[in-house]
Amino acid sequence: MALNLTLKVHPVVLFQIVDAYERRNNDANRVIGTLLGTVEKGVAEATNCFCVPHKEHEDIVEAELVYAKDLYEMNQQVNKQEIIVGWWATGHTVTSHSSVIHEYYSRECVNPVHMTLDTTLKRGHLGLKAFINVPVGVPGGKQGSCFTPINVEVISYEPEVVSLRLCQKTIALSQKCVEPTDDLERIIEAAEKMKGLIDCLLSYVEDVIIGKRESDNEIGRTLLNMVHSVPKMSSEQFQNMFNSNVKDLLMVLSLAQLVHTQLQLNEKLTFLTTMLI
Amino acid sequence: MATNSRISKAQEEEPFIECVQIEGLALMKITKHCHEECSGNLEVAQGALLGLIVGKTLEITNCFAFPKNYDDTIDEGYVYEFLFIPIISKLFVFNISLVILITVKLLIYLKHYIKLYKTEDYQLDMMRRLRRVNVDHYHVGWYQSSDVGNFLSLPLLESQYHYQTSIEESVVLIYDTNKTSRGFLTLKAYRLTPQAINMFKEADFSPEALRILKIGYETLLMEVPIVIKNSSLTNILLSELKDYVPPQEGSTFLDLGTATVLEGQLRSLMERVDDLNQEAIKFNRFQVAVARQTQDKNRYIQRRAQENALRAAKKEPPLPDEDFNKLFKPISVPARLTPMLMASQVEAYGEHISKFCSQSLAKLFVMQATKN
């Protein structure tokens, strides 16, 4: 029961939880489900999850455990490495029903992690919290258990970050629709962003020189590092390297165009010959 | 009804689906699955898309993955067969070995069918369970991962054909793993054009049929534009994630290294072009053979006519008219499907390469600007 267990969550899990919450039945106030992933040296990494239908009454909780078991086995067919690492629930607190559910999950895996995502936006934002169960009580007396918070972080694979960045564009738009952008457009956007960042930096440096702002040694040192990290080469060398790269790319580009024209010609010619047969 | 269909064929057929709308959840799930399956190895990840159809937009709200070994159950069976044959041939009692061979064959085929049944079962099972948690269970298409655009193959077209005949509006989403890991999300939705569907229906891939249907390698698949849409709560989640995921990540697309990627792409392009060349040579050989055959035929007919004339002069009965087809068997036309597929493949590679070059050029110029 090491308390230095950290939970690392992938964005997919959070998306899934939000979606399950949006699709819940009319009478349900919260939704629960299983967290799947891997556990390694004090770090539990949740890479997937699924929703489990359940009903909460005054004293008892009914959850479809057969459903959970079946879905877990089906997921095993797709990805053998994902095992149950815990369970999730929406809401901003841990309720008494949670301990019952937690007990079930502690039978399924060693030291399950309980994660909550506050979809009700009680504190004005989607609170992401994680807990593990720690036995509490007087030795010899009645033992109880207590949900103790642990650290939770969001990590993702590189491609997931790419998808995420694209999805984040929908935040600002009113129709909430965005198209996957073309390669060139992304570079244009990045160049503009870089221009904005450089402007910001320049204004900061100027302010410090004038004396309007206090100089911060840390920032100064990072700026110096950044300027020094540009590889040193004479302008001639740079021009040579630049020109050769540009030439290579242009040649490949023209080759690709040639291939395209050739293909079209080939197509037309074969059709022509079929008319003669 | 007949006049309607004739009119609609005369004009451009109205596309069923004009736009594909995908939710962030489905996008993230596809990304995760394809990344986990295909990082490093050349396996293909496949899965089903679930959603609904609203007017002319196909909305994809969820998806799930197919287990591996979906399609290669067939090869497995035959491998086992070949393993057993030399073992059994060593048995000297002929009858018993025959019985064993037959039972082994039966077991293998049974296993193959059970596996097929299991995988279809998996799909239905999954959809039933997702329906319990109120997920849209209308099966609207499927997705597949690809490696720099080499997704075009006969199995893909056949699967899409089956999907489109059973569900009119289905699409296939192609997710490019390599390109996305380099920082550019590449997700494209394709549907078979109506001409392609007709071609598959008739299963006739000869050049005349293709000409009548007006299919070229460019009109096999049509691309449908994709839009990403997220619900309000998901947007809140995304703003939260902005704090969690630092902004430095996700900038690998600004990487300047181009040599390795370009090399790989050019190599695949060259291989494909070689294959296409072989097919073209085959077709040329066929044409030469047909020309030679018609020449031979004409010569034979002429000689026959001459002989008949001679015999008529000598007042002998003319030679019986033989069936020419038996003497000159018509040479079968090579199917044009494979070369067409290869041509589209080459075209796709070419497009990828030009896009890659253009964005690398842009990056180089930006670098030059910053240097100065």
Side-chain angles (χ1 to χ4, degrees):
Chain A
M1 293 280 184
L3 268 181
N4 47 4
L5 186 73
T6 354
L7 176 66
K8 295 201 171 156
V9 182
H10 279 247
V12 193
V13 174
L14 300 174
F15 270 86
Q16 186 91 301
I17 296 177
V18 166
D19 185 69
Y21 181 72
E22 286 177 344
R23 287 173 188 280
R24 67 190 188 287
N25 288 324
N26 274 334
D27 50 356
N29 275 331
R30 65 177 200 159
V31 228
I32 66 165
T34 315
L35 270 180
L36 302 165
T38 48
V39 183
E40 221 181 286
K41 295 192 250 178
V43 172
E45 195 172 325
T47 50
N48 205 352
C49 71
F50 57 83
C51 173
V52 175
H54 85 299
K55 288 200 196 68
E56 274 179 21
H57 304 288
E58 287 280 333
D59 321 327
I60 51 174
V61 162
E62 293 171 357
E64 300 207 12
L65 304 175
V66 176
Y67 177 95
K69 191 99 199 167
D70 280 338
L71 252 188
Y72 172 59
E73 264 157 35
M74 288 173 82
N75 199 49
Q76 282 284 53
Q77 285 187 21
V78 180
N79 192 339
K80 284 199 187 47
Q81 285 141 345
E82 282 183 351
I83 56 169
I84 299 182
V85 296
W87 64 291
W88 56 267
T90 57
H92 70 286
T93 47
V94 176
T95 63
S96 52
H97 301 305
S98 309
S99 48
V100 180
I101 306 172
H102 199 88
E103 216 185 316
Y104 161 70
Y105 276 102
S106 46
R107 269 180 272 137
E108 295 282 321
C109 76
V110 177
N111 202 9
V113 177
H114 172 45
M115 192 179 87
T116 54
L117 188 68
D118 188 10
T119 41
T120 53
L121 304 172
K122 204 74 181 232
R123 295 219 180 87
H125 65 103
L126 278 173
L128 181 65
K129 294 192 216 134
F131 307 92
I132 55 169
N133 220 358
V134 173
V136 126
V138 179
K142 210 165 172 200
Q143 291 272 340
S145 60
C146 161
F147 278 104
T148 333
I150 59 174
N151 287 335
V152 66
E153 300 172 3
V154 176
I155 66 164
S156 45
Y157 303 126
E158 186 57 47
E160 284 186 349
V161 178
V162 177
S163 312
L164 204 62
R165 292 264 172 260
L166 189 57
C167 290
Q168 279 174 342
K169 293 213 183 114
T170 62
I171 299 176
L173 299 170
S174 50
Q175 326 102 294
K176 302 182 218 139
C177 295
V178 80
E179 289 183 8
T181 42
D182 210 13
D183 300 358
L184 265 181
E185 284 173 27
R186 289 204 67 191
I187 305 222
I188 295 172
E189 278 173 17
E192 281 184 16
K193 218 182 354 169
M194 200 155 66
K195 195 162 101 120
L197 286 173
I198 293 181
D199 283 338
C200 190
L201 274 177
L202 274 176
S203 64
Y204 170 78
V205 169
E206 276 171 20
D207 283 344
V208 168
I209 292 178
I210 299 174
K212 234 205 278 186
R213 260 205 247 190
E214 265 188 30
S215 59
D216 191 354
N217 283 335
E218 279 284 336
I219 298 183
R221 249 177 268 140
T222 16
L223 277 175
L224 199 64
N225 279 339
M226 185 186 81
V227 173
H228 277 291
S229 62
V230 176
K232 280 230 163 355
M233 53 168 94
S234 65
S235 60
E236 229 186 73
Q237 274 179 317
F238 180 77
Q239 278 290 74
N240 281 340
M241 181 197 76
F242 180 72
N243 282 336
S244 59
N245 270 336
V246 169
K247 264 184 258 176
D248 287 338
L249 290 173
L250 282 176
M251 176 187 81
V252 174
L253 199 62
S254 53
L255 261 178
Q257 304 283 5
L258 195 70
V259 163
H260 177 79
T261 344
Q262 191 82 305
L263 280 176
Q264 290 195 319
L265 204 66
N266 182 26
E267 192 81 30
K268 295 280 186 292
L269 280 176
T270 15
F271 277 163
L272 196 67
T273 48
T274 58
M275 293 208 309
L276 298 171
I277 288 179
Chain B
M1 208 58 208
T3 43
N4 267 349
S5 58
R6 238 191 300 135
I7 292 170
S8 62
K9 253 197 178 145
Q11 332 160 323
E12 264 305 313
E13 292 218 7
E14 259 195 56
F16 285 114
I17 298 289
E18 280 180 354
C19 168
V20 170
Q21 189 177 282
I22 184 168
E23 275 199 14
L25 171 66
L27 179 63
M28 297 298 290
K29 276 180 102 165
I30 294 176
T31 315
K32 172 192 170 285
H33 176 227
C34 294
H35 175 80
E36 282 180 352
E37 288 272 326
C38 316
S39 40
N41 53 4
L42 295 162
E43 293 197 10
V44 181
Q46 292 178 334
L49 298 169
L50 307 165
L52 58 148
I53 296 168
V54 179
K56 287 228 157 145
T57 314
L58 181 70
E59 289 191 23
I60 299 175
T61 50
N62 212 330
C63 64
F64 62 87
F66 289 155
K68 268 189 280 200
N69 309 322
Y70 194 57
D71 291 310
D72 20 21
T73 49
I74 306 170
D75 302 326
E76 230 181 274
Y78 292 139
V79 165
Y80 288 159
E81 233 178 272
F82 290 133
L83 276 177
F84 273 108
I85 288 173
I87 299 172
I88 289 171
S89 61
K90 292 209 177 117
L91 290 173
F92 297 117
V93 185
F94 187 72
N95 287 337
I96 296 180
S97 66
L98 202 65
V99 166
I100 294 173
L101 192 65
I102 292 173
T103 38
V104 161
K105 266 197 178 179
L106 277 174
L107 281 172
I108 289 167
Y109 286 132
L110 203 66
K111 183 172 140 195
H112 165 57
Y113 284 122
I114 288 176
K115 250 195 174 158
L116 257 187
Y117 180 71
K118 267 200 193 148
T119 42
E120 285 204 359
D121 224 13
Y122 180 90
Q123 270 199 60
L124 290 169
D125 231 356
M126 191 55 133
M127 282 166 53
R128 221 177 301 139
R129 286 176 201 292
L130 287 174
R131 199 176 356 172
R132 290 296 311 280
V133 279
N134 302 331
V135 175
D136 299 321
H137 54 274
Y138 191 38
H139 197 163
V140 293
W142 60 300
Y143 68 85
Q144 183 173 308
S145 70
S146 90
D147 201 24
V148 197
N150 64 348
F151 58 90
L152 210 62
S153 61
L154 198 54
L156 180 122
L157 287 179
E158 285 183 346
S159 320
Q160 181 57 10
Y161 170 66
H162 287 303
Y163 264 94
Q164 265 187 252
T165 41
S166 45
I167 305 166
E168 276 288 359
E169 298 87 354
S170 57
V171 296
V172 56
L173 272 186
I174 301 289
Y175 169 86
D176 198 324
T177 27
N178 230 316
K179 250 189 144 190
T180 316
S181 56
R182 264 183 288 121
F184 298 99
L185 178 66
T186 313
L187 194 68
K188 296 213 158 106
Y190 292 106
R191 281 170 54 78
L192 283 179
T193 50
Q195 302 103 305
I197 294 183
N198 285 336
M199 180 181 82
F200 269 101
K201 226 186 282 193
E202 292 164 33
D204 181 16
F205 302 124
S206 61
E208 296 94 52
L210 292 184
R211 189 168 40 93
I212 295 171
L213 295 167
K214 291 206 179 50
I215 298 185
Y217 68 90
E218 282 168 333
T219 48
L220 270 179
L221 290 173
M222 62 183 178
E223 196 181 322
V224 187
I226 299 185
V227 175
I228 300 180
K229 185 178 184 304
N230 280 321
S231 65
S232 317
L233 202 55
T234 324
N235 278 336
I236 299 176
L237 172 69
L238 284 166
S239 346
E240 289 272 332
L241 281 174
K242 252 194 186 170
D243 298 327
Y244 282 113
V245 180
Q248 296 94 292
E249 296 194 28
S251 50
T252 45
F253 66 98
L254 290 170
D255 200 12
L256 283 170
T258 54
T260 40
V261 173
L262 213 51
E263 243 180 87
Q265 286 186 338
L266 280 176
R267 202 169 293 142
S268 349
L269 181 66
M270 285 198 300
E271 281 175 24
R272 237 345 134 253
V273 169
D274 276 336
D275 291 336
L276 190 58
N277 200 20
Q278 294 290 336
E279 292 285 327
I281 290 176
K282 242 196 275 178
F283 192 69
N284 283 342
R285 247 185 277 148
F286 158 74
Q287 283 186 312
V288 166
V290 163
R292 219 183 314 136
Q293 198 189 46
T294 31
Q295 251 190 347
D296 284 341
K297 227 190 212 177
N298 288 338
R299 242 184 294 146
Y300 186 78
I301 293 174
Q302 267 187 337
R303 244 188 299 136
R304 264 305 160 104
Q306 272 182 342
E307 279 198 30
N308 279 340
L310 277 173
R311 288 193 174 212
K314 288 192 203 158
K315 296 214 176 64
E316 280 175 26
L319 285 169
D321 259 331
E322 284 173 19
D323 190 11
F324 292 122
N325 282 339
K326 263 195 264 167
L327 290 173
F328 298 98
K329 287 205 199 66
I331 311 177
S332 55
V333 187
R336 294 298 302 163
L337 187 63
T338 344
M340 207 162 55
L341 280 177
M342 288 189 196
S344 329
Q345 197 64 81
V346 174
E347 165 89 16
Y349 278 139
E351 227 187 271
H352 269 271
I353 290 180
S354 33
K355 274 212 169 139
F356 178 76
C357 289
S358 45
Q359 52 102 328
S360 313
L361 273 173
K363 282 194 282 208
L364 277 176
F365 278 108
V366 168
M367 183 181 77
Q368 188 189 40
T370 51
K371 176 78 162 78
N372 297 341

